[in-house]
Amino acid sequence: MVLVTMKRANDQESPCIGRSQTKYSKAPRSQHSQESISNDPNTFYFKPLVFQELKNQQVCPSTTAQVPEPRSGHRIVCDDANLYSFGGYLEVNTDVRLPTDILQGRHTQRLFKELWCYNFAEGQWKYLPTAGKAPKEVASHSAILYGNFLIVFGGTGVPFGGSSSNKMNICDLRSLTWRTINTTGEAPTPQYGQSVVLDSTTRSFYVIGGTTGYGYSMDIYKLDLAKRHWEKIFVSRGDSLEPQPRYRHEVAFDGDNIYILGGGTARDAYELKTVPVFNLKDREWYMLKTKGSLSGVLNSTPRFPCPRKCQGSVQKGEDVFICGGYDSKYIFMDLWKLHLPSMQWHVLPVTMPMPLYFHSTSITSGGCMYIFGGVTHIINSTRTNRVFKIWLAVPKLKEMCWEALLYYRKDIRQRSRTYLLNTGIPSEFVNRVHPAPPGGQPELGVEEKWDSDIILMDDNEN
């Protein structure tokens, strides 16, 4: 039996996200204070707007779990079952130099041409060996998960800007095979630090801004995925309404407009009080002023996020969230929400477990944001491989129950599909466990997990 109780308090800073707390326990409890229950290790609590660290679960004592090394400049994507990480960069001491390292000064620079998967049900990282030709420009690239395809575009090798990419690389996660898509038209200049938007309705892929390592732009290109043809949508003319050229910015998309959040150059970081917006129909830029977050105190001064670049960002519906980043001097630990229709900022009442920039973020359909990697110290250039999660919204009750089940039953990954179905677990959750991660042929009886045909491969492709 599972007991569910919920208590919600008002939050004037973030009225759409209450500080709700859902408690699960194996049986009803009485004569216990809230504090004593919260300290009970046998009780699971669902807490939105609370950062939690994910660690490898040693389900089997004989298991030696592998984890990805600390990195930055990588990208993560996730569905409701798995988090995928591709690429990344690390500076290491010359004493531990590997054959693939590049010596530069007193340090070596490592690039990770690796694909990793963290399965949420299993609680384990797993390295995914892939076939085909994986991209080698794996720092500050862009990545999107669409159906069964991991789409990777752009990126740089080292030294930064010495070798950059404008290729469209696809990894089919069912077969774990890479392919490079042949395209026509005028592709973007090879670059890195660009942002991308995938419009699944029109089957269009947009590339916005970026740097070659020597110059910056805010040009916009569109790839028609059906025709595989590039089109130049906008080229900077130097007008006053155009946003400043930049890289490592983030974007939001509402179907008609692309919103630019932050970003900068090697020296500068751009402010967030005004948001550049590109209208796809007019093919013109507009500057929208935002509204600051209010503390609820009469005559209080509205607060805005500080200028920043290399921040993390996710979007859920009409809300876009940004976390961390830096301005070339300070690293941030804050979390903000921007409501796109009203352009209203809300500072959320939580701070990240550690300062981060050049980290990567992704979000599930239920509203759980994941953060992996990043730089934690500017001078020492220290990187991390820690993983954090935070629920940015209160999901459906079934999601909370699934979280509780994973908390109480650490051995769920070892149970057969038939066993899990017979216990009454819905197939949509069983499919998150079998198979995990999705490599090769699916287990007998498993429903098709993805139904995307956005890219149809030809035999003549690489």
Side-chain angles (χ1 to χ4, degrees), residues 33 39 71 96 98 108 126 141 148 151 175 192 198 241 275 278 296 320 416 425 434 451:
S33 67
N39 293 328
R71 62 196 61 201
V96 293
L98 298 178
T108 58
K126 185 175 181 180
H141 52 289
N148 57 282
I151 303 176
S175 62
Y192 60 98
L198 177 63
L241 289 180
V275 173
F278 186 81
V320 57
S416 69
I425 299 176
H434 296 284
D451 56 5

Side-chain angles (χ1 to χ4, degrees), residues 194-197 206-210 218-220 249 251 258 260 285:
Q194 68 285 321
S195 289
V196 298
V197 166
Y206 296 92
V207 177
I208 308 101
M218 278 302 286
D219 298 342
I220 300 178
H249 49 291
V251 295
I258 299 174
I260 309 300
W285 286 103

Side-chain angles (χ1 to χ4, degrees), residues 74-181:
H74 56 294
R75 293 292 187 178
I76 68 169
V77 296
C78 68
D79 53 24
D80 291 336
N82 300 291
L83 178 153
Y84 299 92
S85 174
F86 178 73
Y89 165 83
L90 174 65
E91 289 184 4
V92 294
N93 188 289
T94 54
D95 293 337
V96 293
R97 185 184 179 196
L98 298 178
T100 56
D101 293 339
I102 299 175
L103 184 63
Q104 185 166 345
R106 300 173 61 183
H107 296 83
T108 58
Q109 298 176 302
R110 297 187 60 191
L111 290 175
F112 298 103
K113 196 167 67 172
E114 303 173 343
L115 179 62
W116 287 83
C117 173
Y118 185 95
N119 177 254
F120 303 137
E122 191 176 16
Q124 291 278 4
W125 278 108
K126 185 175 181 180
Y127 172 73
L128 301 180
T130 59
K133 188 177 181 181
K136 61 182 180 179
E137 297 85 5
V138 292
S140 289
H141 52 289
S142 298
I144 287 179
L145 181 65
Y146 188 82
N148 57 282
F149 295 111
L150 173 63
I151 303 176
V152 174
F153 178 83
T156 181
V158 291
F160 299 141
S163 61
S164 299
S165 172
N166 62 354
K167 301 295 184 183
M168 172 73 74
N169 296 288
I170 308 290
C171 183
D172 189 331
L173 296 175
R174 294 169 298 187
S175 62
L176 297 177
T177 302
W178 286 98
R179 292 175 183 256
T180 301
I181 303 303

Side-chain angles (χ1 to χ4, degrees), residues 85-395:
S85 174
F86 178 73
Y89 165 83
L90 174 65
E91 289 184 4
V92 294
N93 188 289
T94 54
D95 293 337
V96 293
R97 185 184 179 196
L98 298 178
T100 56
D101 293 339
I102 299 175
L103 184 63
Q104 185 166 345
R106 300 173 61 183
H107 296 83
T108 58
Q109 298 176 302
R110 297 187 60 191
L111 290 175
F112 298 103
K113 196 167 67 172
E114 303 173 343
L115 179 62
W116 287 83
C117 173
Y118 185 95
N119 177 254
F120 303 137
E122 191 176 16
Q124 291 278 4
W125 278 108
K126 185 175 181 180
Y127 172 73
L128 301 180
T130 59
K133 188 177 181 181
K136 61 182 180 179
E137 297 85 5
V138 292
S140 289
H141 52 289
S142 298
I144 287 179
L145 181 65
Y146 188 82
N148 57 282
F149 295 111
L150 173 63
I151 303 176
V152 174
F153 178 83
T156 181
V158 291
F160 299 141
S163 61
S164 299
S165 172
N166 62 354
K167 301 295 184 183
M168 172 73 74
N169 296 288
I170 308 290
C171 183
D172 189 331
L173 296 175
R174 294 169 298 187
S175 62
L176 297 177
T177 302
W178 286 98
R179 292 175 183 256
T180 301
I181 303 303
N182 294 324
T183 60
T184 60
E186 186 178 356
T189 301
Q191 59 186 351
Y192 60 98
Q194 68 285 321
S195 289
V196 298
V197 166
L198 177 63
D199 186 348
S200 58
T201 302
T202 62
R203 295 166 65 91
S204 300
F205 182 85
Y206 296 92
V207 177
I208 308 101
T211 180
T212 61
Y214 306 96
Y216 301 85
S217 83
M218 278 302 286
D219 298 342
I220 300 178
Y221 290 79
K222 181 182 81 169
L223 176 64
D224 185 317
L225 291 170
K227 300 178 181 178
R228 304 187 190 178
H229 183 79
W230 284 105
E231 178 186 0
K232 189 182 294 185
I233 298 296
F234 181 87
V235 177
S236 298
R237 302 184 296 262
D239 295 344
S240 59
L241 289 180
E242 294 177 11
Q244 295 170 291
R246 66 193 70 192
Y247 93 129
R248 292 300 307 209
H249 49 291
E250 296 293 336
V251 295
F253 182 59
D254 65 6
D256 299 311
N257 302 285
I258 299 174
Y259 301 78
I260 309 300
L261 302 171
T265 64
R267 295 183 178 180
D268 300 319
Y270 296 137
E271 54 96 7
L272 289 152
K273 289 184 178 181
T274 302
V275 173
V277 180
F278 186 81
N279 182 271
L280 293 174
K281 181 179 179 180
D282 297 341
R283 297 194 175 186
E284 293 289 345
W285 286 103
Y286 302 91
M287 297 295 174
L288 295 184
K289 293 184 177 180
T290 63
K291 304 171 185 175
S293 179
L294 297 174
S295 63
V297 179
L298 187 64
N299 298 324
S300 61
T301 302
R303 296 177 58 189
F304 294 87
C306 296
R308 68 193 65 198
K309 56 188 174 183
C310 309
Q311 71 271 20
S313 176
V314 296
Q315 182 176 351
K316 180 171 174 56
E318 295 179 337
D319 295 321
V320 57
F321 300 82
I322 65 169
C323 62
Y326 86 130
D327 60 1
S328 296
K329 185 177 181 180
Y330 299 106
I331 311 177
F332 301 109
M333 302 173 61
D334 48 1
L335 176 61
W336 291 79
K337 181 183 76 171
L338 176 64
H339 183 245
L340 295 178
S342 64
M343 298 305 290
Q344 175 72 61
W345 283 108
H346 298 278
V347 58
L348 301 184
V350 62
T351 56
M352 299 167 61
M354 59 196 312
L356 285 175
Y357 69 100
F358 276 128
H359 52 299
S360 188
T361 55
S362 188
I363 191 170
T364 66
S365 63
C368 187
M369 180 176 74
Y370 291 85
I371 302 173
F372 171 57
V375 181
T376 64
H377 194 280
I378 296 177
I379 297 177
N380 296 337
S381 195
T382 308
R383 290 162 174 80
T384 183
N385 61 352
R386 297 171 70 182
V387 184
F388 303 99
K389 64 180 285 189
I390 180 172
W391 282 93
L392 298 174
V394 178

